[in-house]
Amino acid sequence: MVRFREPISRENLGKRVLISNMLETTNAVYTTGKAFSRKLSALFGMAFSTGVAKKGRQHLLTINMSLVNPKFVDFDTLGEAVAFLKTALFQPDRVENAFNPEVFRREQTNLVHYLESMNDDHAYYASRTLADLFFEDKHQALPSVATIELIKQENPESVFAYYQKMLQTDGIDIFVLGDVDEKRVAELFSDFDFSDRALGDELFYTQKVREEVNELLEEKEAAQSILQLAYQLPQTYGDADYLALQVMNGLLGGFAHSKLFTNVREKASLAYSISSTFDSFTGFFKISAGIDAANFEKARELIFEQVNAMRDGEFSEAEIEQTKTMLRNSYFIGQDSASNNIEMEFIKSLLPERFLETEPFLTGLSAVAKADIQRVAQSLTLQAQYFMKGSVYEAD
């Protein structure tokens, strides 16, 4: 995995998403999608993919490759993989000082169509709108995949010029996971033309708690309505209450035995779906529910009751232990995932003082007490509410 990262900015976001698509499509050596795919197939089905994401203040552009263990095929798949990666990075599909205009326009059009379809997804649209209501910094509210406006405003020259700068200034993280020799890996990457650079590794985004709650109601042509609530969360990744936060979220809305799922969806039948999630790098805690428009007041009130029940300690030791067991299971399942292991190493490399190895994680999770969970719940402050009121219209 090779990852490029820089602070999220409106100016560069569309460029980065377009670059991600361009790198995954063609390059100066493999100039068509067919040639690109055939080369990967010839390398025993090697996989090459790119993607974008956000982590706190940082925007991440990631290249992933997976390949068969060289020992199983008696072929230097690792060397070929790194060579292919080098070609993709340093020999992009270009015409003079611009990306190949034909390929660029195709990928730009594909991205616009993709984002148009995403905006038609009511859950995605609701989450985007809630982020706009929650974040004071509008750069932080932007989706990792950019917006239609930001994609449309770019051209082959502007994106290629930025790409050259990105290679020279972005933070770069390279991870290799597998049955490999470390010296061999170092040799393979030794001639990559990456210069030293000063990095701003600040991941955490924080903002002041507002006294008022930002609220928005919109009516959409949809059979189902969506209610989303955003709370400010003072806990951050790896701090003293981080594991208590995980347990609190699991009890409130993270699992099928949670209060939101059990009481709002199952018992009261006021939601088709309901859950809670959090981002410990931005202080963003979200409750999302799919409901009938007529049940808005009842559903919202019952959701608030569940949050207050968590604050008041209205949950049993058996429920706490069930939640801890599910968190442990999720943790161990993640240990079997190559991508999850790399992500953990990424966090560890940036935040070594906050990272929890297996034993501290398990010990710390077991030590979470009822009072810790209550304290985290009591720290939640409602900051934003978005209600998409669904209305189904009959055709003329």
Side-chain angles (χ1 to χ4, degrees):
M1 183 190 85
V2 178
R3 173 167 284 167
F4 296 86
R5 53 186 166 88
E6 71 169 20
I8 300 166
S9 74
R10 186 177 184 85
E11 178 185 1
N12 295 336
L13 188 56
K15 296 179 179 70
R16 295 175 69 83
V17 179
L18 283 159
I19 288 167
S20 174
N21 275 37
M22 292 292 295
L23 293 179
E24 193 178 46
T25 308
T26 60
N27 53 53
V29 176
Y30 308 104
T31 57
T32 65
K34 182 180 288 187
F36 196 95
S37 298
R38 280 181 173 173
K39 178 61 177 178
L40 292 172
S41 295
L43 299 176
F44 300 90
M46 192 176 296
F48 181 98
S49 63
T50 63
V52 293
K54 296 196 306 183
K55 180 72 74 175
R57 291 182 176 274
Q58 302 280 314
H59 187 262
L60 315 177
L61 193 168
T62 302
I63 300 170
N64 292 294
M65 298 190 74
S66 60
L67 50 139
V68 67
N69 188 331
K71 298 176 182 177
F72 294 155
V73 292
D74 193 26
F75 182 78
D76 186 18
T77 52
L78 179 62
E80 290 287 344
V82 176
F84 188 91
L85 175 65
K86 187 175 181 181
T87 298
L89 286 175
F90 300 111
Q91 294 180 264
D93 194 353
R94 59 183 288 190
V95 177
E96 295 182 350
N97 292 319
F99 278 114
N100 183 322
E102 181 181 351
V103 177
F104 182 90
R105 297 302 179 194
R106 183 187 68 209
E107 293 306 315
Q108 188 176 42
T109 299
N110 289 343
L111 273 169
V112 168
H113 290 165
Y114 169 74
L115 291 174
E116 287 174 341
S117 69
M118 289 293 287
N119 286 334
D120 288 336
D121 182 308
H122 290 147
Y124 173 80
Y125 178 85
S127 294
R128 270 207 61 196
T129 306
L130 186 73
D132 285 334
L133 294 171
F134 176 82
F135 288 108
E136 295 289 333
D137 183 340
K138 294 311 173 186
H139 292 272
Q140 197 66 43
L142 288 167
S144 63
V145 291
T147 64
I148 293 172
E149 172 197 358
L150 295 177
I151 296 297
K152 282 185 173 181
Q153 73 183 20
E154 299 298 345
N155 59 65
E157 292 79 16
S158 66
V159 176
F160 187 77
Y162 169 77
Y163 180 61
Q164 300 303 301
K165 179 183 176 184
M166 185 189 90
L167 290 176
Q168 298 300 318
T169 61
D170 263 30
I172 302 176
D173 306 279
I174 301 174
F175 295 91
V176 180
L177 174 67
D179 183 14
V180 295
D181 178 78
E182 291 185 23
K183 289 184 178 180
R184 166 72 168 149
V185 171
E187 289 172 0
L188 288 172
F189 281 97
S190 63
D191 63 343
F192 274 52
D193 188 20
F194 291 143
S195 58
D196 290 338
R197 62 215 51 202
L199 301 178
D201 286 338
E202 178 57 44
L203 280 178
F204 296 108
Y205 169 82
T206 58
Q207 64 184 29
K208 292 182 179 179
V209 176
R210 294 187 301 268
E211 292 185 5
E212 77 285 354
V213 177
N214 287 342
E215 297 185 13
L216 177 64
L217 183 153
E218 286 186 306
E219 194 165 303
K220 294 281 185 180
E221 188 175 348
Q224 187 179 123
S225 299
I226 297 176
L227 170 62
Q228 293 198 349
L229 304 168
Y231 290 81
Q232 184 122 340
L233 186 71
Q235 290 79 21
T236 55
Y237 176 87
D239 71 8
D241 276 333
Y242 176 65
L243 294 177
L245 167 61
Q246 293 204 37
V247 179
M248 190 280 293
N249 178 64
L251 280 168
L252 178 59
F255 295 119
H257 69 278
S258 66
K259 286 190 173 294
L260 291 174
F261 190 90
T262 301
N263 296 327
V264 182
R265 184 183 186 277
E266 297 295 295
K267 292 182 180 179
S269 299
L270 289 175
Y272 299 106
S273 61
I274 190 164
S275 62
S276 67
T277 57
F278 66 89
D279 184 344
S280 60
F281 290 90
T282 61
F284 182 65
F285 188 96
K286 180 174 76 171
I287 295 175
S288 181
I291 64 175
D292 284 330
N295 292 332
F296 167 67
E297 293 292 349
K298 289 181 180 178
R300 183 176 65 166
E301 189 60 35
L302 193 53
I303 289 171
F304 288 155
E305 286 181 16
Q306 307 316 302
V307 175
N308 287 332
M310 293 299 302
R311 291 166 173 161
D312 295 338
E314 295 176 13
F315 47 89
S316 67
E317 290 297 329
E319 289 172 316
I320 295 174
E321 287 308 312
Q322 183 180 5
T323 303
K324 289 180 179 180
T325 296
M326 297 187 78
L327 287 168
R328 289 188 197 97
N329 291 343
S330 297
Y331 180 84
F332 285 121
I333 290 172
Q335 299 283 296
D336 292 330
S337 164
S339 60
N340 182 74
N341 276 303
I342 289 178
E343 286 301 323
M344 290 298 98
E345 288 298 323
F346 172 65
I347 298 300
K348 183 179 178 180
S349 68
L350 294 183
L351 302 169
E353 74 286 353
R354 288 175 172 262
F355 185 78
L356 290 175
E357 301 285 359
T358 299
E359 282 307 313
F361 174 86
L362 296 175
T363 301
L365 184 63
S366 296
V368 172
K370 189 170 190 175
D372 302 323
I373 300 167
Q374 284 183 253
R375 183 172 61 253
V376 172
Q378 289 162 2
S379 71
L380 294 175
T381 307
L382 184 64
Q383 296 286 274
Q385 172 186 293
Y386 175 66
F387 180 49
M388 179 190 292
K389 184 179 181 181
S391 299
V392 178
Y393 299 102
E394 294 183 2
D396 293 336

